[in-house]
Amino acid sequence: MALTMRMLNGKSSVVAGASLPASRRAVIARVGKTMSGKEVPPAPEASAGDEVYEYLKSCPGVSAPFENVFDPAGLARTSNLRDIKRWRESEITHGRVSMLAALGFIVGEQLQDFPLFFNFDGRVQGPAIYHFQQIGQGFWEPLLIAIGVAESYRVAVGWATPTGTGFNALKDEYEPGYLGFDPLNLLPEDPAARKELQTKEINNGRLAMIAIAAFVAQELVEQTEIFEHLFLRFEKEAILELDDIERDIGLPITPLPEELKNL
């Protein structure tokens, strides 16, 4: 009889729990116990790291060979969305500057002897890493003004007013890198085409950051211009290949010039 009563009580508890409104059942679930007294595990909540990774997956720049977010150091898992947006703004800005710098290295070294270039007095020469010291008065003043105007505009468009809790942060509605500057109307209206174009910009900017670092390191070590270094390498490889052929057919070997021996 007692066993029958316990079974009936258990069934009535289950039925009562099932007949409760959804709001009451939700309250019971949140408390962590059912009507019968059993523990209910809490529902998993999305962490801040998951939110950051979902945002990164939606951004331009995620492409092969890294089809997912490339973050080997796990920086995104220990950061918040505000920091991630600021880093993305920094990456895009540095990529754009690096693309201009890499192009400037190559163009500057090739046009330093051209009469129409800003070298009318012949004082700019040699590797591009030393052009900075050779430029005279009249060039840096307008350049600094132009940089100041561009940076002031970027800050006004994208950066929030500094406050005690929002210092060094972007505006919530601002898309990192998008300043509305498109005089040639190149940015597509289609979202997929727009994301593809932005991905190309970011990837080229990443490559340019690596390239300009390599340019500077190479010129510091070898004290030669970029194309001069490239052509000297080609010349050395061609002479070495010719030496192999001459050695095979028994001809005198072509000596390697002194300036190529240390390359």
Side-chain angles (χ1 to χ4, degrees):
M1 183 66 178
L3 177 61
T4 304
M5 291 300 294
R6 284 199 297 271
M7 292 176 64
L8 290 175
N9 287 337
K11 289 183 179 179
S12 63
S13 298
V14 173
V15 173
S19 63
L20 285 174
S23 59
R24 292 287 302 278
R25 292 200 300 271
V27 171
I28 293 172
R30 283 196 296 269
V31 169
K33 291 186 177 181
T34 63
M35 292 291 292
S36 60
K38 294 182 178 180
E39 296 289 338
V40 176
E45 297 182 359
S47 65
D50 294 334
E51 180 187 9
V52 167
Y53 271 96
E54 288 302 319
Y55 168 76
L56 289 174
K57 290 178 183 178
S58 67
C59 290
V62 180
S63 57
F66 307 106
E67 299 295 346
N68 209 332
V69 177
F70 180 71
D71 184 26
L75 298 178
R77 296 197 180 278
T78 59
S79 305
N80 54 45
L81 195 56
R82 187 180 69 176
D83 291 337
I84 292 295
K85 288 184 176 181
R86 190 176 70 250
W87 294 348
R88 168 52 65 104
E89 172 76 5
S90 177
E91 178 187 29
I92 295 174
T93 303
H94 283 83
R96 290 169 176 171
V97 172
S98 296
M99 285 189 281
L100 290 173
L103 182 64
F105 258 59
I106 295 174
V107 173
E109 290 179 348
Q110 301 311 306
L111 297 182
Q112 60 189 7
D113 297 326
F114 192 64
L116 296 180
F117 191 58
F118 189 80
N119 188 24
F120 50 86
D121 58 358
R123 63 171 172 253
V124 179
Q125 58 185 349
I129 55 173
Y130 301 116
H131 290 183
F132 179 92
Q133 298 92 323
Q134 299 177 46
I135 296 295
Q137 188 176 4
F139 175 81
W140 296 115
E141 294 83 357
L143 179 62
L144 291 176
I145 293 174
I147 293 174
V149 171
E151 284 298 290
S152 298
Y153 175 75
R154 186 170 71 91
V155 169
V157 171
W159 291 81
T161 302
T163 60
T165 57
F167 184 76
N168 196 23
L170 300 176
K171 296 178 180 178
D172 293 335
E173 68 277 8
Y174 173 66
E175 177 185 348
Y178 183 65
L179 301 173
F181 180 75
D182 186 20
L184 300 180
N185 198 26
L186 298 176
L187 191 65
E189 295 292 337
D190 179 64
R194 174 176 174 172
K195 186 175 182 179
E196 181 182 2
L197 186 63
Q198 290 173 325
T199 297
K200 291 178 180 179
E201 179 194 22
I202 292 175
N203 286 340
N204 280 281
R206 291 165 177 166
L207 178 61
M209 286 188 276
I210 298 174
I212 193 62
F215 285 179
V216 172
Q218 180 267 311
E219 292 196 350
L220 283 173
V221 172
E222 297 190 0
Q223 300 294 310
T224 56
E225 299 176 9
I226 299 300
F227 279 165
E228 181 183 358
H229 165 82
L230 180 64
F231 293 144
L232 288 174
R233 289 282 183 180
F234 284 161
E235 182 181 359
K236 180 177 180 180
E237 290 299 323
I239 294 176
L240 292 177
E241 289 292 334
L242 180 61
D243 288 347
D244 291 338
I245 297 174
E246 293 171 338
R247 189 178 296 108
D248 291 338
I249 62 178
L251 295 177
I253 296 178
T254 302
L256 197 65
E258 289 294 330
E259 62 270 16
L260 299 181
K261 291 182 178 180
N262 295 326
L263 290 179

